[in-house]
Amino acid sequence: FKSVTFEDSLFKNCVFEDITSLNTYFRNCTFVNTAFYNTDLEQYKFVDSELINCTFFHTRTGCQISFDDDYSAYWIYFVNFLGTLAVLPGNIVSALLMDRIGRLTMLG
């Protein structure tokens, strides 16, 4: 789940398995006989929810990277642009060498 909010929902006899969530919350939900196995759903994600006979197995911490914090689309594109610029001199040199010494020699 990336950014899902469940409101006023009933989960009965459910199994949540191998779930990683980011900004996912359960508001005013009821969980009855529900098992959480290998999830990163922690107590603060259950806002005003009622857990009846629920078990948590192998709780883990998930990847909590969100682009709202320190990462923005600008930096992702900028780093990608710098990587492309790093390859540019090699492309220019190989194009010039290909014209000078020939394609078959370049392959060799």
Side-chain angles (χ1 to χ4, degrees), residues 2-3 22-23 64-77:
K2 185 171 180 180
S3 290
L22 178 66
N23 294 331
Q64 297 298 326
I65 294 176
S66 68
F67 293 105
D68 298 333
D69 299 335
D70 293 334
Y71 303 98
S72 65
Y74 169 77
W75 285 109
I76 293 172
Y77 289 118

Side-chain angles (χ1 to χ4, degrees), residues 50-64:
E50 187 176 358
L51 299 161
I52 302 169
N53 198 17
C54 296
T55 54
F56 289 84
F57 300 106
H58 304 288
T59 304
R60 63 179 173 166
T61 57
C63 179
Q64 297 298 326

Side-chain angles (χ1 to χ4, degrees), residues 81-100 106:
F81 176 71
L82 288 180
T84 305
L85 281 181
V87 177
L88 188 62
N91 288 341
I92 293 171
V93 169
S94 65
L96 292 174
L97 279 176
M98 193 177 299
D99 287 341
R100 300 267 184 211
M106 280 293 289

Side-chain angles (χ1 to χ4, degrees), residues 2-108:
K2 185 171 180 180
S3 290
V4 181
T5 302
F6 295 95
E7 292 183 2
D8 301 321
S9 301
L10 171 65
F11 298 93
K12 188 173 183 179
N13 298 326
C14 295
V15 176
F16 291 86
E17 185 174 355
D18 295 328
I19 293 177
T20 303
S21 63
L22 178 66
N23 294 331
T24 298
Y25 296 98
F26 298 91
R27 290 195 173 102
N28 199 21
C29 294
T30 304
F31 296 87
V32 179
N33 296 330
T34 302
F36 297 91
Y37 180 77
N38 201 21
T39 64
D40 68 344
L41 299 174
E42 296 180 18
Q43 191 65 35
Y44 72 91
K45 295 189 178 198
F46 300 98
V47 180
D48 296 329
S49 294
E50 187 176 358
L51 299 161
I52 302 169
N53 198 17
C54 296
T55 54
F56 289 84
F57 300 106
H58 304 288
T59 304
R60 63 179 173 166
T61 57
C63 179
Q64 297 298 326
I65 294 176
S66 68
F67 293 105
D68 298 333
D69 299 335
D70 293 334
Y71 303 98
S72 65
Y74 169 77
W75 285 109
I76 293 172
Y77 289 118
F78 183 70
V79 169
N80 193 8
F81 176 71
L82 288 180
T84 305
L85 281 181
V87 177
L88 188 62
N91 288 341
I92 293 171
V93 169
S94 65
L96 292 174
L97 279 176
M98 193 177 299
D99 287 341
R100 300 267 184 211
I101 64 175
R103 295 175 190 263
L104 292 176
T105 309
M106 280 293 289
L107 285 175

